Amino acid sequence: MNATTSAQPQKVHNGLPRATASRMSPRVNERPAEFESLLELIAKTHLGCETLKVRNRDSLDFFDCGVASLRNALAYAFAAGQEFGRQQAAHRQGQTTGSKQSGAKPDPAA
């Protein structure tokens, strides 16, 4: 059965199924400040966007950008996410290795 004839249409948010969209985009109040700073940096550097704050005026909240700039911004954000994942994996690996070492028996000669 294809998507156009399914009995219950999927609810979508920003073009993605809701479950996918909610996993990909944490709520604003759940994002760490470092993440917000990185988004601001990407927007300013690659898109020429002054701020990501909603100012409730179309002339301030919408702007044109070239596809090359958008592609560069997305590639930079993707690379930043990969680096974050590597750091998290290394941190978890360090915790696992550290916990094995801390479980060692103390040296009675010490």
Side-chain angles (χ1 to χ4, degrees):
M1 179 181 284
N2 66 31
T4 59
T5 60
S6 63
Q8 294 191 14
Q10 277 190 318
K11 294 182 180 180
V12 291
H13 176 70
N14 293 334
L16 296 170
R18 276 213 192 275
T20 302
S22 65
R23 282 193 310 267
M24 292 176 61
S25 179
R27 293 188 178 130
V28 173
N29 59 353
E30 294 174 2
R31 293 179 181 156
E34 183 180 352
F35 178 76
E36 291 296 326
S37 296
L38 180 61
L39 290 181
E40 290 275 342
L41 175 68
I42 293 169
K44 287 177 184 174
T45 305
H46 296 281
L47 302 175
C49 182
E50 183 181 319
T51 182
L52 292 177
K53 291 182 175 67
V54 176
R55 296 177 279 182
N56 296 315
R57 291 187 60 198
D58 286 353
S59 62
L60 298 174
D61 291 340
F62 293 90
F63 69 100
D64 291 327
C65 74
V67 293
S69 296
L70 182 59
R71 183 186 186 288
N72 289 339
L74 291 170
Y76 188 88
F78 182 79
Q82 285 182 314
E83 179 59 27
F84 179 76
R86 280 191 286 274
Q87 289 174 2
Q88 292 297 309
H91 179 71
R92 283 191 300 272
Q93 183 66 26
Q95 285 180 338
T96 302
T97 304
S99 65
K100 288 179 183 176
Q101 291 173 351
S102 65
K105 295 179 181 174
D107 187 297

